[in-house]
Amino acid sequence: MAESRSTQNTTTRQDGGDRRSARTGSIPRPARRRFPGLPSQISYARRFVARQMAESPELTTATLLTSELATNAIRHSASGCDTGKFEVCVRLAPGWARVEVRDLGSTTEAPLPQHRDPYDTAEHGRGLDLVEALASKWGTEPRLDGRGRQVWFELEWDGDGRP
């Protein structure tokens, strides 16, 4: 991955997908929001990500992929139960964004793309295929607090140094 051309706030890649500012040495502070585990909240999750990434050329891709991960959180985890919830976290740096959707789901079943036939007319089962196709990177891991999992994607772009 190419580093930012800006000499004032150069970024370097760190393990785990984080970018640190070479000038300050700090990880960009993420924006987080928790949502009730209801289908009606998916549009609010998209809007939240859109506000964070308003200056990004990858805005449309980020909101689409957020919608897919939020939908999966509600449909395939305990986040979709009566008192369920999910959280969206957005980290930004010049030319890069990471979006995490944290759910209350099972940590024993990792989400996987279905790799469906393009002529398959089924309504469901393509969300992670889209994430795999459009994201620079993506993955899933148990949440650090042990209460479910997080599914994340990263987007990278060339630009003028704005996130």
Side-chain angles (χ1 to χ4, degrees):
M1 170 181 36
E3 291 186 15
S4 171
R5 290 186 182 100
S6 169
T7 57
Q8 291 185 336
N9 195 17
T10 305
T11 58
T12 56
R13 187 64 178 212
Q14 302 294 321
D15 290 340
D18 289 331
R19 286 188 172 208
R20 295 178 187 259
S21 166
R23 187 171 62 165
T24 64
S26 63
I27 297 172
R29 184 175 188 107
R32 298 173 195 249
R33 184 162 171 208
R34 193 170 292 151
F35 300 90
L38 302 168
S40 62
Q41 297 298 304
I42 295 167
S43 63
Y44 293 106
R46 279 194 310 264
R47 284 186 223 150
F48 170 71
V49 170
R51 279 193 306 272
Q52 305 310 309
M53 296 187 61
E55 300 290 324
S56 169
E58 292 292 335
L59 171 65
T60 302
T61 302
T63 56
L64 171 65
L65 300 184
T66 299
S67 183
E68 295 300 334
L69 296 187
T71 299
N72 284 353
I74 292 170
R75 284 198 179 145
H76 303 294
S77 81
S79 291
C81 295
D82 288 339
T83 60
K85 59 187 175 252
F86 67 97
E87 182 179 72
V88 177
C89 177
V90 180
R91 295 178 193 270
L92 293 170
W96 175 86
R98 178 179 169 118
V99 177
E100 301 167 354
V101 176
R102 299 170 181 169
D103 64 34
L104 302 174
S106 169
T107 58
T108 59
E109 295 180 31
L112 298 171
Q114 298 295 308
H115 300 291
R116 297 220 178 206
D117 183 314
Y119 298 105
D120 184 348
T121 59
E123 268 186 51
H124 305 289
R126 290 186 183 79
L128 290 179
D129 288 343
L130 277 172
V131 174
E132 185 174 62
L134 298 176
S136 301
K137 291 181 182 181
W138 79 279
T140 182
E141 55 207 32
R143 286 175 39 175
L144 295 176
D145 62 8
R147 297 181 182 166
R149 67 178 164 232
Q150 66 183 19
V151 183
W152 55 268
F153 64 86
E154 293 180 5
L155 299 171
E156 299 175 9
W157 60 91
D158 292 328
D160 61 2
R162 290 184 295 177

